Amino acid sequence: MIPRVLTVAGSDSGGGAGVQADLKTMLALGVHGMSVITAVTAQNSVGVQGAWELPVEAVRAQYRSVVDDIGVQAVKTGMLASAELVGAVAELISGTDAPAVVDPVGVSKHGDSLLAASALDTVRRELLPVATVATPNLDEVAQLTGVRVESEDDLRRAADAVLEYGPRWVLIKGGHLSGDAVDLLTDGSAEHWLRAPRHDNRHTHGTGCTLASAVASGLAKGLTVPEAVGAAKEYVTGAIAAGFALGAGIGPVDHGWRFRD
Ligand code: PXL
């Protein structure tokens, strides 16, 4: 049977990030994508014009509908908006026998908040502990741990600080540094450095969602965490290289880049 992957995330009406990016990534990587929508954003290439979270019962009901009938081989989380939703999703994941990729989304590409400040502690204490892999960027590392990464030399310290909260693995995404896009994957003993050339392309909306969904897709297919992250890095690097202009602002990465001639 085709591997089944569930994203628990917010909707991006512009189609570049959030649930839409997740489902496109899953299609491109050959798994069956499913979604639990946590919040709806009115969003385009220039920013987020509005955001509305769903009631916690609506999130729980979507999750149970999917997991209890269809089943999942991996779960990915993205925008969770509030402390209440973070806590409910952490509880749902802890009762599910599948690996979980937690993208601890804090703000959008344009700096709009996608997580209440009051939810940070629930992310640290309830969500990170149930993660198979957590995938913070450097802003999220600073928000969650206080560690400020200024160069590649700081990535190991950032990883250790996140691992303190209990995820099995952490992937620190160093893409916001200058130079090559360097990420560090570690479980506290094994260390994998992932390096890709920086593409001179500002159309990078959806990068984080795409990477985390690609990791979840790999895990659902039975890859190990280092194999899934390596394949995901390759996929997202190609998607960034092929990112294209849309609207007046920042365009999306190209989820379908491998299908183009
Ligand atoms: O990239 C994080 C993210 C997650 N979820 C939604 C988003 C974004 C960024 O724009 O819109 C819904």
Side-chain angles (χ1 to χ4, degrees):
M1 205 196 287
I2 186 168
R4 287 142 283 157
V5 182
L6 174 62
T7 174
V8 181
S11 165
D12 169 6
S13 53
V19 162
Q20 289 78 1
D22 298 338
L23 293 174
K24 291 175 193 183
T25 298
M26 293 167 195
L27 177 69
L29 296 180
V31 298
H32 175 68
M34 302 173 288
S35 57
V36 166
I37 295 186
T38 56
V40 173
T41 69
Q43 186 171 179
N44 55 26
S45 72
V46 297
V48 177
Q49 289 82 41
W52 299 267
E53 53 185 90
L54 263 71
V56 69
E57 314 83 75
V59 170
R60 279 210 187 90
Q62 292 174 82
Y63 192 98
R64 289 266 66 91
S65 291
V66 169
V67 172
D68 295 349
D69 172 47
I70 300 171
V72 294
Q73 278 70 53
V75 180
K76 175 255 166 180
T77 70
M79 174 185 182
L80 297 177
S82 70
E84 191 186 20
L85 288 180
V86 172
V89 170
E91 188 188 316
L92 289 165
I93 287 175
S94 74
T96 305
D97 184 20
V101 180
V102 169
D103 187 18
V105 171
V107 298
S108 81
K109 190 66 81 197
H110 296 93
D112 307 285
S113 177
L114 301 175
L115 182 74
S118 58
L120 281 173
D121 222 42
T122 318
V123 172
R124 293 185 194 104
R125 289 173 204 269
E126 298 178 31
L127 188 60
L128 290 177
V130 299
T132 309
V133 193
T135 64
N137 64 27
L138 299 184
D139 296 325
E140 291 152 2
V141 166
Q143 211 178 23
L144 290 167
T145 70
V147 173
R148 294 189 181 279
V149 173
E150 265 142 31
S151 75
E152 267 176 60
D153 298 338
D154 300 327
L155 289 175
R156 193 174 279 128
R157 197 160 47 88
D160 288 343
V162 176
L163 286 172
E164 290 275 306
Y165 291 109
R168 180 88 181 71
W169 291 83
V170 65
L171 175 66
I172 307 284
K173 299 177 292 188
H176 292 174
L177 295 171
S178 54
D180 285 352
V182 178
D183 308 324
L184 171 60
L185 172 71
T186 176
D187 63 354
S189 50
E191 243 181 39
H192 302 265
W193 292 84
L194 298 103
R195 192 173 287 274
R198 176 168 305 276
H199 292 286
D200 181 22
N201 183 356
R202 66 191 205 94
H203 301 301
T204 55
H205 183 56
T207 309
C209 308
T210 300
L211 179 71
S213 292
V215 174
S217 300
L219 294 177
K221 293 181 199 170
L223 301 184
T224 64
V225 169
E227 288 167 349
V229 170
K233 174 82 168 173
E234 209 179 303
Y235 173 70
V236 80
T237 300
I240 291 168
F244 53 93
L246 272 191
I250 299 178
V253 303
D254 184 359
H255 297 100
W257 68 276
R258 282 183 176 149
F259 306 140
R260 316 266 181 242
D261 288 328

